[in-house]
Amino acid sequence: MTTRFDALTADAAWQKVWDDRQTFAARDNSGKPQSYVLEMFPYPSGKIHMGHVRNYTMGDVLARFRRMRGYEVLHPMGWDAFGMPAENAAMEQGVHPGGWTRANIATMKAQLKRLGFALDWSRELATCEPDYYGHEQSLFLDLLAAGLVYRKESSVNWDPVDMTVLANEQVIDGRGWRSGALVEKRKLSQWFLRITDFADDLLDGLGALEHWPDKVRLMQENWIGKSQGLKFRFDLSDGETVEVFTTRPDTIFGASFVAVAADHPIAQALAATNADAAAFIDRCKRGGTTAAEIETQEKLGFDTRITAAHPFDATLRLPVYIANFVLIEYGTGAVFGVPAHDQRDFEFATKYALPIRRVVSDGDHTDPAFDGTEAYTGPGTLVNSHFLDGMDIEDAKRAVITRAEAGGWGHGSTVYRLRDWGVSRQRYWGTPIPIIHCAACGAVPVPKDQLPIILPEDVSFDIPGNPLDRHPTWKHVACPACGGDAVRETDTLDTFADSSWYFIRFASQPKDKPFDKAVAESWLPVGQYIGGVEHAILHLLYARFWTRALKHMGMLDIAEPFTGLFTQGMVTHETYKSADGRWLSPDEVNDGIETATGTPIVPGRVEKMSKSKKNTVDPTGIVDRYGADAVRWFMLSDSPPERDLPWSESGIEGAWRFIQRLWRLFDGDAAEPGQGGDPALDRKLHQTIHGIGEDIGSLAFNKAVAKVYELATAIERAAPSPSRDNAVRDLMLMVAPMAPHLAEEAWAASGQDGLIADAPWPAVDPTLLVEDEVTIAIQVNGKLRDTLVMPKGAARDTVEAAALASDKIVRLLDGKPPRKVIVVPDRLVNLVA
RNA sequence: GCGGACGUGGCGAAAUCGGUAGACGCAGCGGACUUAAAAUCCGCUUCCAUCGGAGUGCGGGUUCGAGUCCCGCCGUCCGCACCA
């Protein structure tokens, strides 16, 4: 009768058909409504992992679904191909970063193709190729011309062994993550992008991103970190001034000291003549930066012997300290301390016996002597504050700012946590920054007709440092301005620059420019972007900035790059450790025993798949064993997509069994043609079509999968009829986005024309969505006691009478009439006894 | 410390508007088919129990009615972190 679904043969056959026919190539002017579905492009690290499979399966289901709904869908794939791992591989294995990267791309591309994703491979791009990064260089020059790029001396983490700059995340306990060398702070000239120019706009724009997770919007909001307050100057006893920033100008009469950061000019100046000050500053810099260290670190200060005049009473002199808890990067790098109303200031004042003066009443206390054990930061009324007395905090803030502005010693000010984006990296495997340094002309942009500046291939990684910098010839060029001897910039761009505009290049990729404005705008913004939450801040913020910068320059009129964002959960797997603490792979364990040694194991938590915990599962072997559709099905089943998905052998086998079950249903023999309708099945079918459409549209794939199971069961149990044949055919269409190979095979086998990938989504008959009979719950005092089947829309009286007539209810009410009756039409009757 | 999310059977989960808690899947148990096994199909499967009762982390509250709303706790996970 029926055969088994031979996934391996079917997968290859249909993938070839899609390829040959260019089924998923997006046409720029098809006349259909356009839809852009994008998953975050992968870094070509070697092989794809289950996280990729899950991510791309979700995007694929949506892309295929939208095609069936009549959209021209752009669903591209590419490679975030620059980055450190390629250089590490070069150092460790003696391979060239380019060769390593391109080989990985080939491997991973084959793996993605094996899963049958509906991708437009004609638009594939890799950021490490000159036909991508050359255009990025051009955009960098545009940003430079628009005043959005500048060069500044900046302090960086320098690894003296590897001779390179490290990102903050690469510094672990003050040491380089590779070399283990103590990291030094070095001043280097670096290129910066003016992301802070757009801080307010990036913040305001979040409000309109209603299809983003709240969590991500909040993370970006906190990252931008807007604070409003007052910047003002203190006159100092040495004739200088110091500017401070505060969000609590209302507490100014509670000030008892001024504190500056160790790197503040005042501190640096003092250190030049005062050895104790210099020693203190050194000590501050040695302080750890881990969470625990900051938590327990004592507030330390160094009294400069300088005093500051209180702006409202020059006879009041505040001591000026250098303090370890003041950050040079934030605000002005200097603060005034109000111990009674700021916890850090409180700790500092307690240690150095400085006055602690109450200026905000907590409702119970108003006297200046503050006797709490911690600072009071709650709401209240101003006290002991001259002209502010009696005001609430907000009024007092405004009053102080008004006086400061009138007196010319301060002004209302907004401060951001967000810093400008430093994009210089002292690395080889990145986009060369298109600048030439000339002794006479300074930093000169490379003329656009000389782009791309191509990375030299003949480089070595046998000694530390930047191979571009020590290349014998590459950097030596003539100055484009004066023709004299000059050198190229040897830094490359942060790889986050590459991913800040790749989605635009996917939409439009002319040879002679980064993108065509009209074509790009026809596809953008990305309607649905899917990726890991680890990119919630940096990548997504940089891409939003880049889009705004392009708009600012008139190059692309798009407000936001991604209007819909979905952050999917991770794929997890159980972990095990041997009795002596080695991580064990789950297949080294059998029934609580380590197979190799026969000793009991220690089960760990279910955690994200990672090589170090030995709990990864390689997709390749799984796909070869179960076929692409079973893997895709498992990725969509059970767990909601935003939550973690626990990998299990029984889970993938269950998916495989269901694929076979669908095949038996699709391939069933039609010996008994059947006659007449099956209204119940018709109704179930249309409710399912409607429900699955809603579920896929809202990315609730686990719910869509459950509905497929239900409908499959209903069809299996239905007698042969045209309704049943119709339901089988529509079920093929509904599983086509999720299990496309099976669906194509079944579609062809059942004699349908064309590809199911090109077929339209089945239409819903709205009249079939409503049941004609409903089950009504009968409650007594809110507790379910009986149920009742009634025609839909039955009158209240009828329902009430039927409920009261129920044997069970009669018994429970014991002859007494209910005190109150609540009837919810078509749902329930609640009798209050 | 600040901010956020989450907490439902043995497990993954569903319940979209405050209206029958546990759909669907996994695992398990029983049965059919088979010489046998696998596969497949059918049934059972929140807990305690005889009627019946209890039950969505814990304690309160609002309501005819709470997994869902409010208040207070506890726990887990995530992000940021001396941000003035």
Side-chain angles (χ1 to χ4, degrees), chain A residues 71-99:
Chain A
Y71 288 92
E72 185 71 30
V73 174
L74 173 56
H75 186 219
M77 182 54 70
W79 310 95
D80 189 13
F82 274 139
M84 290 260 308
E87 288 190 54
N88 294 338
M91 285 182 259
E92 284 155 17
Q93 305 162 31
V95 292
H96 189 277

mmCIF file of all heavy atoms in Angstrom, chain A residues 71-99:
data_model
loop_
_atom_site.group_PDB
_atom_site.id
_atom_site.type_symbol
_atom_site.label_atom_id
_atom_site.label_comp_id
_atom_site.label_asym_id
_atom_site.label_seq_id
_atom_site.Cartn_x
_atom_site.Cartn_y
_atom_site.Cartn_z
ATOM 1 N N TYR A 71 3.316 37.241 -1.278
ATOM 2 C CA TYR A 71 4.355 38.265 -1.232
ATOM 3 C C TYR A 71 5.544 37.877 -2.102
ATOM 4 O O TYR A 71 5.843 36.689 -2.271
ATOM 5 C CB TYR A 71 4.863 38.460 0.192
ATOM 6 C CG TYR A 71 3.888 39.151 1.100
ATOM 7 C CD1 TYR A 71 2.998 38.416 1.866
ATOM 8 C CD2 TYR A 71 3.861 40.542 1.195
ATOM 9 C CE1 TYR A 71 2.091 39.040 2.704
ATOM 10 C CE2 TYR A 71 2.958 41.180 2.030
ATOM 11 C CZ TYR A 71 2.078 40.431 2.783
ATOM 12 O OH TYR A 71 1.188 41.052 3.609
ATOM 13 N N GLU A 72 6.215 38.879 -2.626
ATOM 14 C CA GLU A 72 7.540 38.686 -3.197
ATOM 15 C C GLU A 72 8.497 38.799 -2.008
ATOM 16 O O GLU A 72 8.609 39.864 -1.396
ATOM 17 C CB GLU A 72 7.839 39.775 -4.239
ATOM 18 C CG GLU A 72 9.150 39.593 -4.975
ATOM 19 C CD GLU A 72 9.111 38.410 -5.954
ATOM 20 O OE1 GLU A 72 8.017 38.107 -6.478
ATOM 21 O OE2 GLU A 72 10.161 37.800 -6.185
ATOM 22 N N VAL A 73 9.128 37.689 -1.661
ATOM 23 C CA VAL A 73 9.893 37.653 -0.412
ATOM 24 C C VAL A 73 11.388 37.722 -0.686
ATOM 25 O O VAL A 73 11.911 36.980 -1.522
ATOM 26 C CB VAL A 73 9.559 36.371 0.382
ATOM 27 C CG1 VAL A 73 10.459 36.246 1.602
ATOM 28 C CG2 VAL A 73 8.089 36.382 0.816
ATOM 29 N N LEU A 74 12.056 38.621 0.015
ATOM 30 C CA LEU A 74 13.518 38.668 0.002
ATOM 31 C C LEU A 74 14.010 37.946 1.254
ATOM 32 O O LEU A 74 13.709 38.364 2.383
ATOM 33 C CB LEU A 74 14.011 40.118 -0.008
ATOM 34 C CG LEU A 74 15.529 40.317 0.148
ATOM 35 C CD1 LEU A 74 16.310 39.556 -0.901
ATOM 36 C CD2 LEU A 74 15.882 41.807 0.082
ATOM 37 N N HIS A 75 14.714 36.849 1.037
ATOM 38 C CA HIS A 75 15.211 36.033 2.159
ATOM 39 C C HIS A 75 16.639 35.619 1.812
ATOM 40 O O HIS A 75 16.861 34.557 1.252
ATOM 41 C CB HIS A 75 14.300 34.805 2.338
ATOM 42 C CG HIS A 75 14.639 33.978 3.537
ATOM 43 N ND1 HIS A 75 14.602 32.610 3.521
ATOM 44 C CD2 HIS A 75 15.023 34.329 4.779
ATOM 45 C CE1 HIS A 75 14.950 32.149 4.721
ATOM 46 N NE2 HIS A 75 15.213 33.168 5.492
ATOM 47 N N PRO A 76 17.601 36.487 2.114
ATOM 48 C CA PRO A 76 18.974 36.277 1.674
ATOM 49 C C PRO A 76 19.867 35.676 2.760
ATOM 50 O O PRO A 76 19.471 35.543 3.917
ATOM 51 C CB PRO A 76 19.437 37.696 1.364
ATOM 52 C CG PRO A 76 18.703 38.540 2.374
ATOM 53 C CD PRO A 76 17.420 37.811 2.735
ATOM 54 N N MET A 77 21.065 35.314 2.369
ATOM 55 C CA MET A 77 22.032 34.752 3.321
ATOM 56 C C MET A 77 23.437 35.208 2.926
ATOM 57 O O MET A 77 23.741 35.355 1.742
ATOM 58 C CB MET A 77 21.941 33.221 3.304
ATOM 59 C CG MET A 77 22.863 32.494 4.274
ATOM 60 S SD MET A 77 22.751 33.007 5.991
ATOM 61 C CE MET A 77 21.134 32.369 6.432
ATOM 62 N N GLY A 78 24.260 35.440 3.934
ATOM 63 C CA GLY A 78 25.637 35.853 3.676
ATOM 64 C C GLY A 78 26.513 35.535 4.866
ATOM 65 O O GLY A 78 26.116 34.764 5.746
ATOM 66 N N TRP A 79 27.676 36.145 4.884
ATOM 67 C CA TRP A 79 28.697 35.748 5.854
ATOM 68 C C TRP A 79 29.357 36.956 6.500
ATOM 69 O O TRP A 79 29.890 37.816 5.813
ATOM 70 C CB TRP A 79 29.747 34.880 5.143
ATOM 71 C CG TRP A 79 29.077 33.797 4.373
ATOM 72 C CD1 TRP A 79 28.742 33.829 3.043
ATOM 73 C CD2 TRP A 79 28.573 32.567 4.899
ATOM 74 N NE1 TRP A 79 28.074 32.674 2.706
ATOM 75 C CE2 TRP A 79 27.968 31.882 3.819
ATOM 76 C CE3 TRP A 79 28.592 31.973 6.158
ATOM 77 C CZ2 TRP A 79 27.362 30.638 3.980
ATOM 78 C CZ3 TRP A 79 28.000 30.738 6.312
ATOM 79 C CH2 TRP A 79 27.399 30.069 5.228
ATOM 80 N N ASP A 80 29.307 36.975 7.798
ATOM 81 C CA ASP A 80 29.949 38.027 8.593
ATOM 82 C C ASP A 80 31.398 37.590 8.762
ATOM 83 O O ASP A 80 31.781 37.049 9.791
ATOM 84 C CB ASP A 80 29.220 38.123 9.936
ATOM 85 C CG ASP A 80 29.659 39.323 10.747
ATOM 86 O OD1 ASP A 80 30.340 40.209 10.184
ATOM 87 O OD2 ASP A 80 29.328 39.370 11.941
ATOM 88 N N ALA A 81 32.206 37.815 7.730
ATOM 89 C CA ALA A 81 33.382 36.977 7.519
ATOM 90 C C ALA A 81 34.705 37.536 8.047
ATOM 91 O O ALA A 81 35.711 36.843 8.016
ATOM 92 C CB ALA A 81 33.512 36.689 6.031
ATOM 93 N N PHE A 82 34.698 38.784 8.498
ATOM 94 C CA PHE A 82 35.911 39.307 9.116
ATOM 95 C C PHE A 82 35.870 39.029 10.610
ATOM 96 O O PHE A 82 34.791 38.959 11.206
ATOM 97 C CB PHE A 82 36.006 40.820 8.910
ATOM 98 C CG PHE A 82 36.644 41.235 7.612
ATOM 99 C CD1 PHE A 82 36.120 42.292 6.891
ATOM 100 C CD2 PHE A 82 37.788 40.612 7.138
ATOM 101 C CE1 PHE A 82 36.714 42.727 5.698
ATOM 102 C CE2 PHE A 82 38.391 41.030 5.957
ATOM 103 C CZ PHE A 82 37.848 42.085 5.235
ATOM 104 N N GLY A 83 37.042 38.939 11.231
ATOM 105 C CA GLY A 83 37.038 38.812 12.686
ATOM 106 C C GLY A 83 38.223 38.030 13.223
ATOM 107 O O GLY A 83 38.980 37.402 12.486
ATOM 108 N N MET A 84 38.319 38.083 14.515
ATOM 109 C CA MET A 84 39.457 37.524 15.242
ATOM 110 C C MET A 84 39.707 36.029 15.055
ATOM 111 O O MET A 84 40.858 35.619 14.942
ATOM 112 C CB MET A 84 39.241 37.779 16.735
ATOM 113 C CG MET A 84 39.366 39.207 17.109
ATOM 114 S SD MET A 84 40.966 39.498 17.800
ATOM 115 C CE MET A 84 41.003 38.210 19.042
ATOM 116 N N PRO A 85 38.652 35.186 15.066
ATOM 117 C CA PRO A 85 38.948 33.750 15.011
ATOM 118 C C PRO A 85 39.792 33.363 13.808
ATOM 119 O O PRO A 85 40.617 32.456 13.908
ATOM 120 C CB PRO A 85 37.558 33.105 14.973
ATOM 121 C CG PRO A 85 36.680 34.094 15.661
ATOM 122 C CD PRO A 85 37.219 35.432 15.258
ATOM 123 N N ALA A 86 39.624 34.067 12.696
ATOM 124 C CA ALA A 86 40.423 33.751 11.511
ATOM 125 C C ALA A 86 41.898 34.041 11.770
ATOM 126 O O ALA A 86 42.778 33.310 11.333
ATOM 127 C CB ALA A 86 39.917 34.557 10.320
ATOM 128 N N GLU A 87 42.164 35.128 12.505
ATOM 129 C CA GLU A 87 43.561 35.447 12.814
ATOM 130 C C GLU A 87 44.133 34.479 13.845
ATOM 131 O O GLU A 87 45.305 34.118 13.788
ATOM 132 C CB GLU A 87 43.680 36.891 13.315
ATOM 133 C CG GLU A 87 43.480 37.882 12.191
ATOM 134 C CD GLU A 87 43.840 39.308 12.596
ATOM 135 O OE1 GLU A 87 44.968 39.529 13.068
ATOM 136 O OE2 GLU A 87 42.966 40.185 12.449
ATOM 137 N N ASN A 88 43.285 34.076 14.778
ATOM 138 C CA ASN A 88 43.748 33.091 15.752
ATOM 139 C C ASN A 88 44.097 31.788 15.052
ATOM 140 O O ASN A 88 45.110 31.155 15.363
ATOM 141 C CB ASN A 88 42.675 32.836 16.806
ATOM 142 C CG ASN A 88 42.423 34.071 17.652
ATOM 143 O OD1 ASN A 88 43.283 34.949 17.739
ATOM 144 N ND2 ASN A 88 41.252 34.144 18.260
ATOM 145 N N ALA A 89 43.247 31.386 14.094
ATOM 146 C CA ALA A 89 43.521 30.161 13.339
ATOM 147 C C ALA A 89 44.831 30.310 12.583
ATOM 148 O O ALA A 89 45.635 29.378 12.508
ATOM 149 C CB ALA A 89 42.372 29.876 12.377
ATOM 150 N N ALA A 90 45.054 31.513 12.055
ATOM 151 C CA ALA A 90 46.290 31.763 11.317
ATOM 152 C C ALA A 90 47.501 31.589 12.225
ATOM 153 O O ALA A 90 48.504 30.992 11.847
ATOM 154 C CB ALA A 90 46.261 33.169 10.722
ATOM 155 N N MET A 91 47.381 32.111 13.442
ATOM 156 C CA MET A 91 48.510 32.017 14.376
ATOM 157 C C MET A 91 48.721 30.586 14.856
ATOM 158 O O MET A 91 49.839 30.133 15.016
ATOM 159 C CB MET A 91 48.261 32.933 15.572
ATOM 160 C CG MET A 91 48.473 34.404 15.238
ATOM 161 S SD MET A 91 48.237 35.462 16.691
ATOM 162 C CE MET A 91 46.610 36.091 16.434
ATOM 163 N N GLU A 92 47.613 29.873 15.069
ATOM 164 C CA GLU A 92 47.732 28.546 15.661
ATOM 165 C C GLU A 92 48.011 27.457 14.626
ATOM 166 O O GLU A 92 48.686 26.474 14.917
ATOM 167 C CB GLU A 92 46.441 28.205 16.426
ATOM 168 C CG GLU A 92 46.356 28.939 17.761
ATOM 169 C CD GLU A 92 44.930 29.117 18.249
ATOM 170 O OE1 GLU A 92 44.036 28.405 17.737
ATOM 171 O OE2 GLU A 92 44.715 29.984 19.128
ATOM 172 N N GLN A 93 47.438 27.609 13.429
ATOM 173 C CA GLN A 93 47.545 26.525 12.444
ATOM 174 C C GLN A 93 48.383 26.911 11.236
ATOM 175 O O GLN A 93 48.566 26.097 10.321
ATOM 176 C CB GLN A 93 46.150 26.116 11.949
ATOM 177 C CG GLN A 93 45.183 25.730 13.066
ATOM 178 C CD GLN A 93 43.728 25.760 12.587
ATOM 179 O OE1 GLN A 93 43.461 25.510 11.419
ATOM 180 N NE2 GLN A 93 42.807 26.062 13.486
ATOM 181 N N GLY A 94 48.859 28.156 11.214
ATOM 182 C CA GLY A 94 49.678 28.581 10.094
ATOM 183 C C GLY A 94 48.936 28.699 8.773
ATOM 184 O O GLY A 94 49.527 28.640 7.710
ATOM 185 N N VAL A 95 47.611 28.848 8.833
ATOM 186 C CA VAL A 95 46.842 29.018 7.604
ATOM 187 C C VAL A 95 46.594 30.502 7.367
ATOM 188 O O VAL A 95 46.798 31.317 8.266
ATOM 189 C CB VAL A 95 45.481 28.293 7.685
ATOM 190 C CG1 VAL A 95 45.681 26.801 7.720
ATOM 191 C CG2 VAL A 95 44.695 28.772 8.903
ATOM 192 N N HIS A 96 46.169 30.840 6.171
ATOM 193 C CA HIS A 96 45.849 32.244 5.900
ATOM 194 C C HIS A 96 44.406 32.510 6.329
ATOM 195 O O HIS A 96 43.522 31.689 6.072
ATOM 196 C CB HIS A 96 46.005 32.540 4.407
ATOM 197 C CG HIS A 96 45.905 34.006 4.099
ATOM 198 N ND1 HIS A 96 44.697 34.633 3.945
ATOM 199 C CD2 HIS A 96 46.850 34.970 3.968
ATOM 200 C CE1 HIS A 96 44.908 35.927 3.712
ATOM 201 N NE2 HIS A 96 46.224 36.152 3.717
ATOM 202 N N PRO A 97 44.150 33.642 6.977
ATOM 203 C CA PRO A 97 42.781 33.917 7.435
ATOM 204 C C PRO A 97 41.754 33.843 6.308
ATOM 205 O O PRO A 97 40.638 33.359 6.503
ATOM 206 C CB PRO A 97 42.861 35.341 7.993
ATOM 207 C CG PRO A 97 44.288 35.539 8.353
ATOM 208 C CD PRO A 97 45.088 34.718 7.382
ATOM 209 N N GLY A 98 42.174 34.301 5.119
ATOM 210 C CA GLY A 98 41.243 34.291 3.997
ATOM 211 C C GLY A 98 40.910 32.874 3.560
ATOM 212 O O GLY A 98 39.744 32.533 3.319
ATOM 213 N N GLY A 99 41.944 32.049 3.467
ATOM 214 C CA GLY A 99 41.726 30.660 3.054
ATOM 215 C C GLY A 99 40.869 29.918 4.063
ATOM 216 O O GLY A 99 39.926 29.205 3.699
#
